[in-house]
Amino acid sequence: MNSRGYEIRSIRSDEWRQVKELRLDALRDPVAHLAFLETYEKAVAEPDAFWQDRASGAAVGATVRQQIVAVGEDGVWAGSVTVLVERAGVPDAFGEVPEYDQGHVVGVYVRPEHRGSEAGVTRGLFDAALAWSWASGLERVRLFVHERNGRAEAFYRKTGFLPTGETTPMPGGTGELELEFVITPG
């Protein structure tokens, strides 16, 4: 899939170095503390085997998660989004038991120089992630956004995600919340 000069596609298992580089850049972003549950310090200390496993588990052909990237004409990864598959009745990564077969969007990041509706990177990533989710037979896709991340919330609403009214506390006992948004095929 192409989006305004970017190739939008699932990662390949041998691209673990690019996966690592993009993730570390994402964790250095000024709002990373609002968007990611992982810290730069923890991620940078991970061995190569961690990144190799991470890439192979989310690459083309994987069925439990899929990482979608936008690759610029220069070969640089402009951004990424990952969909985790959560099965109805099976505890998810957070210990919750979903009622639906659903996707859970995580790890949304677009490099600052590739942001904005003119570039179309974020929209292209979400279109591909949703297409993969629907092709995988998922009934809905959800995501969580920090209550103070208005820019992300506005994009999610524009893309068709709707708030469910459900919230979850941010880790660390800060008293801050993440808001759940969902979209269904249609």
Side-chain angles (χ1 to χ4, degrees), residues 153-164:
E153 182 179 334
F155 172 79
Y156 300 145
R157 286 177 183 272
K158 185 176 171 183
T159 305
F161 282 84
L162 299 172
T164 64

Side-chain angles (χ1 to χ4, degrees), residues 26-45:
L27 293 171
R28 285 190 290 253
D29 190 270
V31 296
H33 66 287
L34 298 180
F36 303 111
L37 301 178
E38 182 179 35
T39 65
Y40 175 84
E41 293 73 23
K42 180 182 181 311
V44 76

Side-chain angles (χ1 to χ4, degrees), residues 81-84 86 103-108 126 129-130 133 141-144 156 161 183:
V81 63
T82 299
V83 179
L84 307 176
E86 299 173 336
H104 186 153
V105 172
V106 297
V108 178
F126 268 78
L130 292 172
S133 298
V141 174
R142 71 177 182 155
L143 56 80
F144 287 90
Y156 300 145
F161 282 84
I183 190 170

Side-chain angles (χ1 to χ4, degrees), residues 81-145:
V81 63
T82 299
V83 179
L84 307 176
V85 174
E86 299 173 336
R87 295 292 174 196
V90 179
D92 63 20
F94 305 100
E96 305 271 325
V97 180
E99 297 176 34
Y100 307 92
D101 284 345
Q102 63 189 11
H104 186 153
V105 172
V106 297
V108 178
Y109 178 69
V110 174
R111 295 179 194 269
E113 63 272 22
H114 299 277
R115 293 178 186 161
S117 57
E118 311 80 45
V121 173
T122 309
R123 185 59 190 235
L125 288 168
F126 268 78
D127 288 349
L130 292 172
W132 182 86
S133 298
W134 307 147
S136 298
L138 300 177
E139 299 171 59
R140 69 183 207 157
V141 174
R142 71 177 182 155
L143 56 80
F144 287 90
V145 62

Side-chain angles (χ1 to χ4, degrees), residues 13-31:
S13 60
D14 65 345
E15 294 178 312
W16 65 270
R17 286 178 183 86
Q18 293 95 319
V19 168
K20 178 181 179 179
E21 176 191 356
L22 187 64
R23 182 62 171 188
L24 294 178
D25 282 354
L27 293 171
R28 285 190 290 253
D29 190 270
V31 296

